[in-house]
Amino acid sequence: MAVTIHEEAIHGRSAAALPAIPAGLRAAGPVIVLLLLGFLAPLLTVAAYAFATPKSFDVFRSFTFANFSAIFDTSNTVWMSFAWSLAFALATVALLAVIAYPIAYGLNRMFGKWSGFIGVLFVFPLFVSENVRLYGWVLFFIKNGVLDGGLKWLGFSGGPEVLYTPGAILFGMLYVYLPFMLFPMSLGIAMIPRDLVDAARDLGASRLMIWREIELPLAMPGILIGMLLTFVLGAGAIAESKILGGQSVITIAQDIEVAFTYAQNWPLGSALALLLVAIVSGLALYVLAKLDLDRILGKR
Protein backbone atom coordinates (compact mmCIF):
# COMPACT_ATOMS: atom_id res chain seq x y z
CA MET A 1 0.00 0.00 0.00
CA ALA A 2 2.81 2.33 0.92
CA VAL A 3 4.60 1.53 -2.36
CA THR A 4 1.49 2.36 -4.39
CA ILE A 5 1.07 5.69 -2.65
CA HIS A 6 4.75 6.47 -3.30
CA GLU A 7 4.48 5.69 -7.04
CA GLU A 8 1.34 7.80 -7.39
CA ALA A 9 3.12 10.70 -5.71
CA ILE A 10 6.08 10.37 -8.12
CA HIS A 11 3.86 10.19 -11.22
CA GLY A 12 1.81 13.13 -9.96
CA ARG A 13 4.91 15.28 -9.55
CA SER A 14 6.21 14.24 -13.00
CA ALA A 15 2.89 15.14 -14.67
CA ALA A 16 2.82 18.47 -12.87
CA ALA A 17 6.42 19.21 -13.93
CA LEU A 18 5.74 18.60 -17.64
CA PRO A 19 4.14 21.58 -19.43
CA ALA A 20 0.74 20.84 -20.96
CA ILE A 21 0.81 20.73 -24.80
CA PRO A 22 -2.19 22.56 -26.30
CA ALA A 23 -4.63 20.36 -28.18
CA GLY A 24 -4.22 22.45 -31.33
CA LEU A 25 -0.46 21.96 -31.35
CA ARG A 26 -0.87 18.20 -30.88
CA ALA A 27 -3.35 18.06 -33.75
CA ALA A 28 -0.99 20.06 -35.98
CA GLY A 29 1.96 17.89 -35.06
CA PRO A 30 1.83 15.56 -38.11
CA VAL A 31 1.57 18.54 -40.47
CA ILE A 32 4.48 20.28 -38.76
CA VAL A 33 6.63 17.16 -39.04
CA LEU A 34 5.67 16.77 -42.71
CA LEU A 35 6.59 20.41 -43.45
CA LEU A 36 9.91 20.07 -41.62
CA LEU A 37 10.86 16.90 -43.50
CA GLY A 38 9.40 17.78 -46.89
CA PHE A 39 10.08 21.52 -47.12
CA LEU A 40 12.56 22.81 -44.58
CA ALA A 41 15.00 19.86 -44.63
CA PRO A 42 15.59 19.94 -48.45
CA LEU A 43 15.98 23.73 -48.32
CA LEU A 44 18.55 23.47 -45.54
CA THR A 45 20.40 20.77 -47.48
CA VAL A 46 20.59 22.99 -50.56
CA ALA A 47 21.81 25.87 -48.38
CA ALA A 48 24.49 23.63 -46.86
CA TYR A 49 25.68 22.48 -50.30
CA ALA A 50 25.93 26.11 -51.42
CA PHE A 51 28.76 26.65 -48.93
CA ALA A 52 30.54 23.33 -49.62
CA THR A 53 33.83 22.94 -51.49
CA PRO A 54 33.26 23.27 -55.29
CA LYS A 55 32.89 20.02 -57.24
CA SER A 56 32.77 17.96 -54.05
CA PHE A 57 30.19 16.32 -51.82
CA ASP A 58 31.63 17.57 -48.54
CA VAL A 59 28.31 18.87 -47.36
CA PHE A 60 28.20 19.76 -43.64
CA ARG A 61 31.97 19.13 -43.51
CA SER A 62 33.35 22.25 -45.24
CA PHE A 63 32.44 25.93 -45.45
CA THR A 64 33.49 28.28 -48.26
CA PHE A 65 32.20 31.22 -50.28
CA ALA A 66 33.99 30.01 -53.43
CA ASN A 67 30.72 29.09 -55.18
CA PHE A 68 29.30 32.58 -54.74
CA SER A 69 32.64 34.12 -55.74
CA ALA A 70 32.47 32.13 -59.00
CA ILE A 71 28.92 33.40 -59.67
CA PHE A 72 29.87 37.06 -59.09
CA ASP A 73 33.11 36.78 -61.09
CA THR A 74 33.09 39.43 -63.81
CA SER A 75 34.07 36.82 -66.41
CA ASN A 76 30.96 34.76 -65.59
CA THR A 77 27.92 35.52 -67.74
CA VAL A 78 25.42 33.71 -65.53
CA TRP A 79 23.85 37.06 -64.74
CA MET A 80 22.35 36.97 -68.25
CA SER A 81 20.47 33.80 -67.30
CA PHE A 82 19.12 35.56 -64.21
CA ALA A 83 18.11 38.55 -66.34
CA TRP A 84 16.35 36.38 -68.95
CA SER A 85 14.44 34.40 -66.31
CA LEU A 86 13.28 37.50 -64.43
CA ALA A 87 12.39 39.29 -67.70
CA PHE A 88 10.32 36.33 -68.90
CA ALA A 89 8.60 36.05 -65.50
CA LEU A 90 7.73 39.76 -65.38
CA ALA A 91 6.50 39.78 -68.99
CA THR A 92 4.38 36.68 -68.32
CA VAL A 93 2.80 38.30 -65.25
CA ALA A 94 2.01 41.54 -67.09
CA LEU A 95 0.56 39.86 -70.19
CA LEU A 96 -1.44 37.26 -68.27
CA ALA A 97 -2.95 39.96 -66.04
CA VAL A 98 -4.26 41.67 -69.18
CA ILE A 99 -5.37 38.41 -70.84
CA ALA A 100 -6.91 36.65 -67.84
CA TYR A 101 -8.89 39.53 -66.34
CA PRO A 102 -11.47 39.83 -69.18
CA ILE A 103 -11.82 36.03 -69.26
CA ALA A 104 -12.36 35.81 -65.49
CA TYR A 105 -14.76 38.77 -65.57
CA GLY A 106 -16.76 37.25 -68.43
CA LEU A 107 -16.95 33.88 -66.66
CA ASN A 108 -18.33 35.52 -63.53
CA ARG A 109 -20.88 37.57 -65.43
CA MET A 110 -22.02 34.63 -67.53
CA PHE A 111 -22.00 31.77 -65.02
CA GLY A 112 -22.41 33.63 -61.71
CA LYS A 113 -21.89 31.32 -58.75
CA TRP A 114 -20.90 28.51 -61.12
CA SER A 115 -17.93 30.50 -62.41
CA GLY A 116 -15.63 28.82 -59.87
CA PHE A 117 -16.56 25.41 -61.27
CA ILE A 118 -16.10 26.62 -64.84
CA GLY A 119 -12.73 28.04 -63.83
CA VAL A 120 -11.69 24.59 -62.63
CA LEU A 121 -12.13 23.36 -66.21
CA PHE A 122 -9.16 25.55 -67.17
CA VAL A 123 -7.08 23.53 -64.70
CA PHE A 124 -7.77 20.24 -66.53
CA PRO A 125 -4.84 20.70 -68.97
CA LEU A 126 -2.56 20.55 -65.92
CA PHE A 127 -3.44 16.84 -65.65
CA VAL A 128 -1.42 16.28 -68.85
CA SER A 129 2.37 16.48 -68.63
CA GLU A 130 3.74 19.92 -69.37
CA ASN A 131 6.32 18.47 -71.76
CA VAL A 132 3.61 16.66 -73.75
CA ARG A 133 1.60 19.85 -74.13
CA LEU A 134 4.66 21.85 -75.20
CA TYR A 135 5.70 19.21 -77.74
CA GLY A 136 2.18 19.53 -79.14
CA TRP A 137 2.94 23.19 -79.87
CA VAL A 138 6.24 22.12 -81.47
CA LEU A 139 4.27 19.95 -83.92
CA PHE A 140 1.97 22.90 -84.55
CA PHE A 141 4.69 25.48 -85.25
CA ILE A 142 7.41 23.30 -86.79
CA LYS A 143 8.27 23.60 -90.49
CA ASN A 144 5.77 21.54 -92.54
CA GLY A 145 3.78 21.13 -89.32
CA VAL A 146 0.13 21.99 -88.71
CA LEU A 147 0.46 25.76 -89.19
CA ASP A 148 3.07 25.80 -91.96
CA GLY A 149 1.54 22.86 -93.84
CA GLY A 150 -1.99 24.23 -93.49
CA LEU A 151 -1.01 27.63 -94.91
CA LYS A 152 0.82 25.98 -97.82
CA TRP A 153 -2.22 23.82 -98.50
CA LEU A 154 -4.30 27.01 -98.70
CA GLY A 155 -1.90 28.48 -101.25
CA PHE A 156 0.24 30.72 -99.03
CA SER A 157 4.04 30.63 -98.92
CA GLY A 158 4.07 29.05 -95.45
CA GLY A 159 4.01 29.98 -91.80
CA PRO A 160 6.42 32.27 -89.95
CA GLU A 161 9.52 30.96 -88.21
CA VAL A 162 8.26 30.90 -84.64
CA LEU A 163 10.08 28.05 -82.96
CA TYR A 164 13.39 28.42 -81.11
CA THR A 165 13.00 32.14 -80.49
CA PRO A 166 12.43 34.13 -77.28
CA GLY A 167 8.91 34.84 -78.52
CA ALA A 168 8.15 31.10 -78.59
CA ILE A 169 9.37 30.78 -74.99
CA LEU A 170 7.11 33.61 -73.87
CA PHE A 171 4.17 32.08 -75.74
CA GLY A 172 4.76 28.74 -74.00
CA MET A 173 4.89 30.40 -70.58
CA LEU A 174 1.65 32.28 -71.25
CA TYR A 175 0.00 29.00 -72.30
CA VAL A 176 1.29 26.96 -69.35
CA TYR A 177 0.72 29.52 -66.59
CA LEU A 178 -2.69 30.87 -67.68
CA PRO A 179 -4.61 28.62 -65.21
CA PHE A 180 -2.43 29.81 -62.32
CA MET A 181 -3.46 33.41 -63.05
CA LEU A 182 -7.05 32.77 -64.12
CA PHE A 183 -8.25 30.62 -61.23
CA PRO A 184 -7.36 32.93 -58.27
CA MET A 185 -8.37 35.97 -60.33
CA SER A 186 -11.78 34.40 -60.99
CA LEU A 187 -12.20 33.72 -57.27
CA GLY A 188 -11.27 37.34 -56.50
CA ILE A 189 -13.83 38.71 -58.92
CA ALA A 190 -16.47 36.32 -57.55
CA MET A 191 -16.09 38.00 -54.13
CA ILE A 192 -17.43 41.32 -55.50
CA PRO A 193 -20.97 41.88 -54.10
CA ARG A 194 -23.33 42.51 -56.99
CA ASP A 195 -25.58 44.56 -54.69
CA LEU A 196 -22.75 47.03 -54.19
CA VAL A 197 -22.24 47.40 -57.93
CA ASP A 198 -25.99 47.86 -58.51
CA ALA A 199 -26.16 50.48 -55.75
CA ALA A 200 -23.27 52.42 -57.28
CA ARG A 201 -24.94 52.28 -60.68
CA ASP A 202 -28.25 53.51 -59.23
CA LEU A 203 -26.39 56.44 -57.65
CA GLY A 204 -25.10 57.49 -61.06
CA ALA A 205 -21.56 56.11 -61.06
CA SER A 206 -20.09 55.51 -64.51
CA ARG A 207 -18.91 52.08 -65.64
CA LEU A 208 -15.26 53.15 -65.40
CA MET A 209 -15.77 54.55 -61.90
CA ILE A 210 -17.47 51.33 -60.72
CA TRP A 211 -14.57 49.29 -62.05
CA ARG A 212 -11.90 51.55 -60.57
CA GLU A 213 -13.52 52.26 -57.18
CA ILE A 214 -15.30 48.98 -56.43
CA GLU A 215 -14.54 46.00 -58.64
CA LEU A 216 -10.75 46.31 -58.97
CA PRO A 217 -9.98 46.91 -55.24
CA LEU A 218 -12.28 44.09 -54.13
CA ALA A 219 -10.82 41.68 -56.70
CA MET A 220 -7.23 42.73 -55.99
CA PRO A 221 -6.47 39.94 -53.43
CA GLY A 222 -7.20 37.27 -56.05
CA ILE A 223 -5.28 39.22 -58.70
CA LEU A 224 -2.22 39.58 -56.45
CA ILE A 225 -2.24 35.87 -55.58
CA GLY A 226 -2.37 35.01 -59.29
CA MET A 227 0.45 37.42 -60.10
CA LEU A 228 2.61 36.10 -57.26
CA LEU A 229 2.07 32.46 -58.28
CA THR A 230 2.81 33.22 -61.92
CA PHE A 231 5.96 35.19 -61.15
CA VAL A 232 7.42 32.52 -58.86
CA LEU A 233 6.68 29.71 -61.33
CA GLY A 234 7.88 31.77 -64.31
CA ALA A 235 11.23 32.62 -62.69
CA GLY A 236 11.98 28.90 -62.37
CA ALA A 237 10.62 27.86 -65.76
CA ILE A 238 12.80 25.51 -67.77
CA ALA A 239 10.67 23.29 -70.06
CA GLU A 240 9.49 26.21 -72.19
CA SER A 241 13.01 27.45 -72.90
CA LYS A 242 14.33 23.95 -73.68
CA ILE A 243 11.46 22.67 -75.86
CA LEU A 244 10.16 25.81 -77.58
CA GLY A 245 13.28 27.97 -77.35
CA GLY A 246 16.02 25.45 -78.08
CA GLN A 247 19.31 27.03 -77.13
CA SER A 248 18.33 30.55 -78.20
CA VAL A 249 18.05 31.62 -74.56
CA ILE A 250 19.60 30.00 -71.47
CA THR A 251 17.55 30.54 -68.34
CA ILE A 252 18.87 30.24 -64.82
CA ALA A 253 16.93 26.99 -64.27
CA GLN A 254 18.91 25.44 -67.16
CA ASP A 255 22.18 26.57 -65.59
CA ILE A 256 21.14 24.95 -62.30
CA GLU A 257 20.19 21.72 -64.08
CA VAL A 258 23.54 21.60 -65.91
CA ALA A 259 25.43 22.17 -62.65
CA PHE A 260 23.60 19.27 -60.97
CA THR A 261 23.79 16.84 -63.93
CA TYR A 262 26.49 17.21 -66.60
CA ALA A 263 28.91 19.31 -64.55
CA GLN A 264 28.39 17.31 -61.32
CA ASN A 265 29.05 20.52 -59.41
CA TRP A 266 26.32 20.34 -56.81
CA PRO A 267 27.75 23.18 -54.64
CA LEU A 268 27.62 25.60 -57.60
CA GLY A 269 24.08 24.47 -58.51
CA SER A 270 23.00 24.91 -54.90
CA ALA A 271 24.52 28.40 -54.77
CA LEU A 272 22.64 29.36 -57.95
CA ALA A 273 19.39 27.89 -56.58
CA LEU A 274 19.83 29.68 -53.26
CA LEU A 275 20.52 32.97 -55.02
CA LEU A 276 17.44 32.51 -57.23
CA VAL A 277 15.25 31.83 -54.19
CA ALA A 278 16.63 34.92 -52.45
CA ILE A 279 16.06 37.17 -55.50
CA VAL A 280 12.54 35.91 -56.25
CA SER A 281 11.33 35.92 -52.65
CA GLY A 282 12.96 39.30 -52.03
CA LEU A 283 11.31 40.89 -55.07
CA ALA A 284 7.92 39.36 -54.26
CA LEU A 285 7.99 40.46 -50.62
CA TYR A 286 9.27 43.93 -51.53
CA VAL A 287 6.50 44.50 -54.08
CA LEU A 288 3.80 43.18 -51.76
CA ALA A 289 5.07 45.39 -48.92
CA LYS A 290 5.27 48.51 -51.09
CA LEU A 291 2.02 47.99 -52.98
CA ASP A 292 -0.41 50.75 -52.05
CA LEU A 293 -3.81 50.30 -53.63
CA ASP A 294 -4.98 53.74 -52.57
CA ARG A 295 -2.08 55.41 -54.34
CA ILE A 296 -2.46 53.22 -57.44
CA LEU A 297 -6.14 54.06 -57.70
CA GLY A 298 -5.50 57.76 -57.25
CA LYS A 299 -7.10 58.15 -53.81
CA ARG A 300 -4.02 59.92 -52.44
Side-chain angles (χ1 to χ4, degrees):
M1 184 65 179
V3 173
T4 305
I5 294 173
H6 181 67
E7 290 179 350
E8 289 178 352
I10 293 176
H11 292 163
R13 285 198 299 270
S14 300
L18 292 175
I21 301 176
L25 186 59
R26 292 199 302 271
V31 178
I32 294 174
V33 172
L34 180 64
L35 289 176
L36 290 176
L37 294 178
F39 177 75
L40 189 59
L43 196 59
L44 290 177
T45 304
V46 170
Y49 263 109
F51 296 98
T53 304
K55 296 184 178 180
S56 73
F57 296 95
D58 295 332
V59 63
F60 299 118
R61 290 181 297 180
S62 62
F63 185 87
T64 177
F65 290 101
N67 302 299
F68 294 97
S69 299
I71 295 174
F72 290 106
D73 193 334
T74 54
S75 62
N76 199 332
T77 59
V78 72
W79 64 270
M80 293 185 62
S81 300
F82 276 107
W84 274 114
S85 293
L86 295 178
F88 277 130
L90 291 173
T92 302
V93 169
L95 291 175
L96 280 183
V98 176
I99 294 171
Y101 187 85
I103 299 175
Y105 187 83
L107 288 175
N108 280 274
R109 291 301 301 269
M110 182 173 293
F111 297 102
K113 63 180 181 180
W114 297 100
S115 60
F117 173 75
I118 300 300
V120 173
L121 298 179
F122 286 88
V123 182
F124 278 170
L126 299 180
F127 296 157
V128 181
S129 169
E130 181 180 337
N131 288 350
V132 173
R133 286 181 285 143
L134 292 177
Y135 274 115
W137 283 113
V138 171
L139 295 177
F140 184 84
F141 287 121
I142 199 170
K143 192 173 181 60
N144 293 324
V146 177
L147 179 62
D148 186 64
L151 290 175
K152 288 179 178 177
W153 183 76
L154 292 173
F156 295 95
S157 59
E161 295 289 343
V162 177
L163 278 178
Y164 312 130
T165 62
I169 299 174
L170 184 58
F171 172 80
M173 293 178 68
L174 294 176
Y175 165 71
V176 170
Y177 300 126
L178 175 62
F180 296 97
M181 178 70 81
L182 181 63
F183 190 59
M185 187 177 286
S186 179
L187 293 179
I189 294 177
M191 292 190 299
I192 301 173
R194 298 311 307 172
D195 295 341
L196 191 61
V197 176
D198 294 338
R201 187 180 295 111
D202 293 340
L203 292 174
S206 65
R207 186 69 192 88
L208 177 61
M209 183 178 294
I210 293 174
W211 177 77
R212 192 184 66 181
E213 302 291 339
I214 298 176
E215 293 180 343
L216 186 60
L218 293 179
M220 191 55 73
I223 296 174
L224 288 178
I225 292 174
M227 295 174 75
L228 184 61
L229 276 176
T230 308
F231 176 73
V232 172
L233 293 173
I238 183 172
E240 294 82 3
S241 59
K242 293 178 67 175
I243 296 175
L244 297 179
Q247 298 295 323
S248 60
V249 171
I250 303 298
T251 61
I252 188 59
Q254 284 181 269
D255 281 336
I256 295 174
E257 183 191 37
V258 169
F260 273 102
T261 54
Y262 299 109
Q264 285 293 299
N265 193 352
W266 290 21
L268 179 61
S270 298
L272 290 172
L274 196 64
L275 197 57
L276 178 63
V277 171
I279 292 175
V280 171
S281 58
L283 284 176
L285 293 176
Y286 178 79
V287 171
L288 289 178
K290 293 295 182 182
L291 196 61
D292 190 341
L293 289 179
D294 290 336
R295 189 171 59 185
I296 293 175
L297 299 175
K299 293 182 179 179
R300 291 181 183 175

